[in-house]
């Protein structure tokens, strides 16, 4: 009866069938005996799986397979969004059935369910990719990433379980690649589109045609979906719209085929969903690089979460799984709350101890499981969700003596490792490189702010007005840096937005020492504050979206302003910050800040950073040494992490300047050869003389 009533292939039947499947999934087995409980649970899940399979048949014009091991062609459905939901429910039912069979001792059947769960989740992720490519609006793509973050995690979870059960490496590699596909996918999609426009060689008219077709298809599919959800759908309208969608999709398919045949560069760059493989990443990583990537399912009230950690070096790839309890969120909040609090003078024993405990517990959770394998390595962290806010170098590998307050004696992670970050390994591998060469070395900006001037800002954090105080340390910072590296300084009235836009694209290093205004609700309107100017176009506020429209050749941008790495956290995408705009504009390395950094301490830290860069150190090692210098020379107050921990490096870590050490080593080797050669000749002549 259910087949007869709900078997039609249309937009309404799948939703009804899915609801029926969800009813069975939501039912609880009531048997008290464990074996009977498992049988009852299996029957309920099997019924739900049957309904989900029927829903796939109903939504797919050319699919009639009732066998749950089969899935339809995802490119051929009435609705991609409905297809996605059905596949996710089916994959979840299969995953739960695998757990039931495992508990029943039926390992072979459990493996069959688990493998099919993985393949179904993989198809769901392919549908997410299709949906993302179909969206024109960036906010829609971000919302998709946020909504589907759990889908990526569940897929990684199933793949890692299969790896643990079988030991087959391809499941480990699959888990890592799925984790990558769920990291900053919207940002990666934007970079691919940018690259396609630049190198694809496609006429503007065809690009315009592509965007128009996508927009029209999305609009008509929305009409159909909404009409189908009415009590009495208008069959005439539906028929007309479905015909129109068919016509538009044929045109779109023909256009994509044209791209594939005549403009393969554009097609491959824009429509690819490729991420870096484990093998390619291992080939890319240097001998002593260790990349640590996290996938997090955060705990909810009364429900534990899960942490999956990948460790990749040039020699190996490993994965570890850990359960997360309520302490996870508490420790992150305590850790960040302490670091972001500028009221350093009122640090008391209670907050000091609480920070130490959180810093140590986070280390034990996030780093210690791999610590024995990391000695002598540089660390590259790929965080997930809230972990994106954390400066890992502020974690400690042992509990300090907390009877008296002294931050100088703590064993921070930065004492053992150079540390950098990336939004994803794929971005690090494919995009965080600079092929362009800038004609000039360094440009530095230090604007002038008139003390006590209240500035009216349209979009400002918390909707307040901002009183911008002078930054005397910024002037000292720029002066000290340009004593080390010759460059052009734009300070006071010259430090304008128009000068930055005009000249920044011609410099290898950008250094911005200024105020920032965050906009948490609209991150693209967070801004760097330049000196005021009389200009009808440039108002002195450089918005993030304006940075996105720039073309930069710099190998490094130092955003020495407050909160340049802070912003709104979008699940599945990361922190949407000012720094991201500079990466998009072509700069592969960013030094950014995670909170309101202190003016004078920042100046000293940044000058030391450049001092070590000039000596040929990599960017991460130069920043590490500058922080260690601060700790070594600070009094107990200035040793507080608030003063030195806020600066982090994201992106490429390679040195900017070559060191003279290899030259001297080479010279010494040559001299040794000369000396040894002369001694050899002298000895040879001596022996000849003796023979005579």
């Amino acid at each position: 009866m259910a087949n007869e009533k709900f078997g039609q292939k249309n937009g309404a039947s799948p939703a009804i069938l899915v609801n029926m499947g969800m009813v069975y999934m939501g039912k609880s087995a009531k048997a008290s005996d464990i074996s009977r409980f498992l049988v009852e649970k299996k029957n309920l899940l099997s019924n739900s799986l049957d309904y989900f399979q029927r829903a796939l048949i109903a939504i797919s014009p050319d699919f009639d397979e009732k066998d749950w091991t089969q899935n339809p062609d995802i490119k051929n459905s009435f609705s991609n969004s409905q297809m996605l939901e059905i596949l996710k429910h089916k994959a979840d039912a299969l995953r739960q059935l695998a757990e039931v069979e495992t508990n029943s001792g039926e390992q072979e059947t459990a493996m069959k369910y688990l493998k099919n769960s993985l393949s179904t989740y993989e198809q769901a992720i392919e549908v997410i990719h299709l949906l993302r490519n179909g969206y024109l609006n960036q906010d829609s793509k971000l919302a998709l990433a946020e909504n589907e973050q759990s889908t990526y995690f569940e897929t990684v979870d199933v793949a890692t379980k299969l790896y643990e059960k079988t030991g087959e490496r391809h499941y480990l590699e699959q888990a890592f690649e799925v984790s990558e596909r769920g990291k900053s996918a919207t940002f990666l999609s934007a970079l691919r589109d940018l690259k396609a426009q630049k190198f694809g060689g496609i006429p503007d008219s065809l690009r315009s045609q592509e965007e128009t077709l996508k927009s029209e298809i999305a609009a008509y599919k929305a009409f159909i979906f909404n009409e189908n959800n009415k009590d009495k759908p208008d069959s005439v309208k539906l028929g007309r719209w479905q015909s129109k969608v068919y016509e538009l999709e044929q045109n779109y398919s023909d256009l994509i085929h044209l791209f594939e045949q005549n403009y393969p560069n554009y097609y491959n760059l824009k429509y690819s969903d490729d991420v870096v493989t484990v093998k390619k990443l291992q080939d890319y990583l240097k001998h002593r690089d260790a990349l640590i990537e996290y996938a997090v399912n955060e705990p909810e009230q009364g429900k534990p979460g899960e942490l999956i950690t990948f460790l990749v070096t040039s020699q190996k790839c490993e994965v570890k799984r850990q359960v997360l309890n309520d302490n996870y969120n508490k420790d992150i909040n305590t850790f960040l709350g302490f670091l972001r609090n500028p009221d350093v003078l009122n640090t008391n024993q209670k907050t000091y101890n609480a920070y130490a405990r959180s810093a140590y517990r986070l280390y034990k959770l996030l780093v210690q499981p791999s610590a024995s394998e990391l000695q002598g390595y540089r660390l590259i962290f790929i965080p997930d969700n809230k972990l994106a806010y954390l400066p890992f170098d502020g974690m400690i590998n042992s509990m300090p003596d907390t009877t008296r307050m002294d931050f100088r004696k703590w064993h921070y992670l930065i004492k053992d490792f150079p540390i950098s970050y990336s939004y994803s390994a794929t971005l690090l591998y494919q995009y965080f490189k600079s092929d362009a060469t800038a004609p000039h070395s360094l440009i530095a900006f230090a604007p002038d702010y008139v003390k006590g001037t209240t500035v009216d800002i349209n979009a400002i954090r918390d909707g307040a007005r901002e009183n911008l105080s002078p930054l005397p340390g910024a002037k000292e910072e720029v002066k000290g840096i340009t004593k080390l590296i010759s460059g052009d300084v734009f300070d006071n009235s010259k430090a304008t937005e128009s000068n930055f836009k005009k000249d920044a694209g011609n410099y290898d290093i950008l250094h911005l020492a200024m105020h920032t205004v965050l906009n948490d609700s609209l991150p693209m309107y967070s801004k760097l504050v330049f000196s005021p100017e009389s200009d009808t176009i440039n108002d002195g506020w450089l918005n993030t979206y304006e940075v996105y429209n720039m073309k930069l050749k710099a190998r490094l941008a130092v955003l020495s302003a407050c909160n340049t790495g802070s912003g709104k956290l979008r699940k599945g995408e990361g922190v949407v910050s000012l720094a991201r705009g500079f990466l998009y504009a072509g700069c592969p390395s960013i030094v950014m800040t995670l909170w309101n950094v202190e003016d004078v301490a920042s100046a000293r830290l940044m000058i030391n950073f450049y001092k070590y860069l000039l000596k040929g150190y990599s960017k991460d090692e130069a920043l590490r040494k500058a922080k260690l210098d601060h700790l070594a020379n600070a009094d107990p107050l200035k040793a507080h992490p608030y003063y030195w921990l806020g600066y982090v490096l994201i992106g490429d870590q390679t040195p900017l300047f070559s060191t003279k050490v290899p030259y001297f080593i080479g010279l010494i080797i040559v001299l040794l050869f000369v000396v040894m050669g002369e001694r050899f000749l002298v000895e040879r002549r001596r022996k000849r003389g003796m023979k005579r």
Side-chain angles (χ1 to χ4, degrees):
M1 182 70 182
N3 269 326
E4 292 173 13
K5 187 173 181 180
F6 304 126
Q8 306 99 326
K9 291 182 179 288
N10 58 49
S13 296
I16 298 169
L17 291 163
V18 166
N19 287 337
M20 295 291 288
M22 292 302 294
V23 168
Y24 279 99
M25 281 191 82
K27 285 184 178 180
S28 300
K30 296 177 181 177
S32 56
D33 176 73
I34 186 65
S35 58
R36 290 177 62 192
F37 174 87
L38 291 171
V39 169
E40 191 177 335
K41 185 67 177 174
K42 179 180 176 181
N43 288 337
L44 289 169
L45 289 169
S46 296
N47 283 332
S48 70
L49 181 60
D50 181 50
Y51 275 108
F52 296 144
Q53 191 67 18
R54 291 190 217 172
L56 288 174
I57 293 170
I59 203 169
S60 310
D62 303 319
F63 181 72
D64 293 295
E65 185 57 69
K66 295 177 182 178
D67 179 3
W68 56 262
T69 65
Q70 304 298 311
N71 287 319
D73 179 357
I74 59 169
K75 294 180 181 177
N76 192 13
S77 72
F78 293 119
S79 167
N80 284 339
S81 56
Q82 280 188 300
M83 170 69 84
L84 174 59
E85 291 305 309
I86 299 166
L87 288 170
K88 283 160 53 180
H89 289 313
K90 178 182 174 180
D92 188 28
L94 288 164
R95 182 182 59 80
Q96 291 190 47
L97 278 163
E99 291 175 4
V100 170
E101 294 291 7
T102 298
N103 292 329
S104 301
E106 299 292 334
Q107 299 301 329
E108 189 175 333
T109 309
M111 286 296 291
K112 184 179 179 182
Y113 282 129
L114 207 55
K115 287 178 181 178
N116 277 276
S117 175
L118 179 59
S119 62
T120 304
Y121 269 127
E122 284 275 19
Q123 283 200 283
I125 287 173
E126 290 296 333
V127 178
I128 294 171
H129 177 59
L130 289 177
L131 286 167
R132 185 182 296 111
N133 276 340
Y135 290 152
L136 298 179
N137 184 284
Q138 197 75 356
D139 286 337
S140 298
K141 292 183 179 185
L142 287 169
L144 178 69
E146 203 155 26
N147 293 337
E148 299 305 331
Q149 192 257 350
S150 60
T151 307
Y152 287 99
F153 183 87
E154 293 296 347
T155 311
V156 173
D157 186 55
V158 171
T160 52
K161 284 176 180 172
L162 281 165
Y163 172 63
E164 290 170 353
K165 289 176 181 292
T166 66
E168 295 176 19
R169 184 178 167 85
H170 69 91
Y171 287 121
L172 171 60
E173 293 175 350
Q174 195 171 356
F176 179 79
E177 287 165 30
V178 171
S179 175
E180 274 295 295
R181 292 177 76 180
K183 294 265 191 305
S184 296
T186 303
F187 187 53
L188 191 55
S189 172
L191 286 171
R192 285 187 179 122
D193 192 22
L194 186 69
K195 200 169 182 179
Q197 292 175 43
K198 187 175 180 181
F199 300 110
I202 187 171
D204 290 342
S205 58
L206 288 180
R207 280 202 77 247
S208 176
Q209 186 180 343
E210 175 192 15
E211 299 304 320
T212 300
L213 283 169
K214 282 168 63 175
S215 180
E216 289 181 354
I217 290 168
Y220 278 107
K221 282 194 170 184
F223 294 158
I224 292 168
F225 181 79
N226 292 332
E227 190 66 31
N228 269 321
N229 284 324
K230 291 181 179 178
D231 292 336
K232 294 181 180 180
D234 188 324
S235 58
V236 176
K237 283 183 180 177
L238 285 171
R240 186 169 69 248
W241 290 338
Q242 283 165 350
S243 295
K244 187 64 178 175
V245 167
Y246 179 79
E247 177 190 339
L248 290 168
E249 285 185 334
Q250 283 295 112
N251 293 340
Y252 185 69
S253 178
D254 291 342
L255 184 63
I256 299 303
H257 183 68
L258 175 69
F259 292 157
E260 191 174 8
Q261 296 298 312
N262 297 353
Y263 304 96
N265 282 348
Y266 179 79
Y267 177 84
N268 292 329
L269 287 168
K270 179 162 184 175
Y271 290 101
S272 166
D273 193 27
D274 290 342
V275 293
V276 63
T277 63
V278 170
K279 177 66 171 65
K280 285 181 178 178
L281 182 59
Q282 288 181 313
D283 290 342
Y284 168 80
L285 292 173
K286 296 180 179 66
H287 177 58
R288 305 302 286 178
D289 286 351
L291 183 140
I292 303 172
E293 178 163 325
Y294 302 99
V296 181
N297 182 27
E298 293 182 347
E300 299 172 0
Q301 195 167 13
K303 184 181 176 183
E306 188 177 6
L307 173 71
I308 298 175
T309 305
F310 296 95
L311 169 64
V312 186
T313 70
S314 60
Q315 302 299 314
K316 62 184 159 190
C317 177
E318 299 174 352
V319 65
K320 292 181 172 65
R321 301 153 57 87
Q322 297 175 80
V323 174
L324 297 177
N325 56 32
D326 290 340
N327 282 333
Y328 172 77
N329 285 318
K330 290 177 185 175
D331 285 335
I332 288 177
N333 292 337
T334 300
F335 186 76
L336 286 175
F338 183 84
L339 293 174
R340 289 172 172 171
N341 184 4
D343 192 11
V344 175
L345 289 173
N346 288 324
T347 301
N348 56 43
Q349 196 71 41
K350 182 180 178 181
T351 56
Y352 179 84
N353 294 353
Y355 172 67
R357 285 193 297 271
S358 65
Y360 180 49
R361 279 204 292 251
L362 286 170
Y363 167 81
K364 288 199 295 182
L365 176 72
L366 298 169
V367 182
Q368 191 180 58
S370 305
S372 61
E373 304 170 71
L374 297 176
Q375 294 307 311
Y377 280 77
R378 59 147 43 96
L379 306 185
I380 306 163
F381 288 107
I382 314 291
D384 193 29
N385 287 351
K386 291 178 185 175
L387 298 181
Y389 284 129
L390 304 185
F392 281 66
D393 38 349
M395 297 173 193
I396 52 177
N397 66 8
S398 59
M399 272 298 290
D401 177 8
T402 55
T403 56
R404 57 189 298 269
M405 291 190 288
D406 191 347
F407 290 101
R408 295 171 297 182
K409 296 181 179 179
W410 289 25
H411 200 98
Y412 300 100
L413 203 60
I414 196 68
K415 290 188 175 181
D416 294 327
F417 307 101
I419 292 170
S420 65
Y421 304 83
S422 178
Y423 296 119
S424 77
T426 302
L427 286 164
L428 189 68
Y429 173 76
Q430 291 184 351
Y431 291 96
F432 290 173
K433 304 167 188 174
S434 181
D435 300 323
T437 303
H440 304 295
S441 176
L442 177 141
I443 189 170
F445 283 78
D448 184 36
Y449 307 113
V450 180
K451 188 171 184 178
T453 299
T454 300
V455 184
D456 187 10
I457 300 170
N458 293 327
I460 188 171
R461 192 172 209 170
D462 300 327
R465 289 175 178 268
E466 185 80 350
N467 191 320
L468 299 177
S469 58
L471 297 174
K475 305 279 173 54
E476 293 303 312
E477 183 176 320
V478 166
K479 192 184 296 182
I481 290 165
T482 49
K483 281 181 182 177
L484 295 168
I485 303 173
S486 61
D488 295 316
V489 176
F490 289 78
D491 58 6
N492 300 324
S493 62
K494 294 187 295 181
T496 60
E497 179 189 3
S498 54
N499 279 338
F500 178 76
K501 287 180 176 177
K502 178 166 64 76
D503 294 325
N506 296 317
Y507 286 83
D508 189 42
I509 303 171
L510 310 177
H511 190 94
L512 307 179
M514 57 184 61
H515 277 300
T516 314
V517 175
L518 286 189
N519 189 318
D520 284 338
S521 57
L522 295 169
M524 283 296 181
Y525 286 87
S526 291
K527 34 191 126 250
L528 289 162
V529 187
F530 288 80
S531 293
E533 58 183 312
S534 301
D535 191 300
T536 55
I537 298 173
N538 298 310
D539 54 6
W541 309 99
L542 183 69
N543 292 286
T544 303
Y545 74 83
E546 293 178 278
V547 180
Y548 270 76
N549 292 326
M550 297 182 71
K551 304 294 180 196
L552 300 176
K553 297 175 184 175
R555 289 182 295 158
L556 172 67
V558 179
L559 308 181
S560 188
C562 296
N563 290 297
T564 50
S566 298
K568 187 171 184 178
L569 177 66
R570 302 295 296 258
K571 281 190 175 182
E573 192 62 29
V575 176
V576 183
S577 66
L578 268 162
R580 193 178 284 223
F582 283 84
L583 291 166
Y584 182 84
C587 186
S589 297
I590 311 290
V591 171
M592 62 187 191
T593 60
L594 299 179
W595 52 77
N596 292 321
V597 291
E598 197 269 339
D599 191 32
V600 177
S602 295
R604 199 173 299 118
L605 187 75
M606 284 294 94
I607 291 168
N608 284 336
F609 169 62
Y610 280 94
K611 179 182 75 177
Y612 286 114
L613 282 178
L614 269 176
K615 290 182 178 180
Y617 287 103
S618 60
K619 303 181 196 88
D620 53 348
E621 181 64 22
L623 189 57
R624 171 178 177 262
K625 284 186 170 294
K627 289 179 177 180
L628 293 180
D629 278 358
H630 178 95
L631 275 172
N633 298 307
D635 59 36
L637 176 65
K638 292 292 184 179
H640 190 295
Y642 175 80
Y643 290 103
W644 59 270
L645 187 55
Y647 283 88
V648 296
L649 172 72
I650 187 164
D652 175 66
Q653 330 96 318
T654 54
L656 288 178
F657 304 97
S658 60
T659 176
K660 294 180 180 179
V661 171
Y663 169 78
F664 287 119
I665 291 173
L667 185 60
I668 290 167
I669 290 170
V670 170
L671 288 171
L672 282 172
F673 273 113
V674 170
V675 171
M676 289 171 66
E678 286 181 353
R679 289 184 64 180
F680 174 76
L681 290 171
V682 169
E683 184 66 20
R684 192 172 174 185
R685 289 191 194 111
R686 188 182 67 80
K687 287 181 178 178
R688 282 179 180 173
M690 288 175 66
K691 285 180 181 178
R692 286 178 190 155

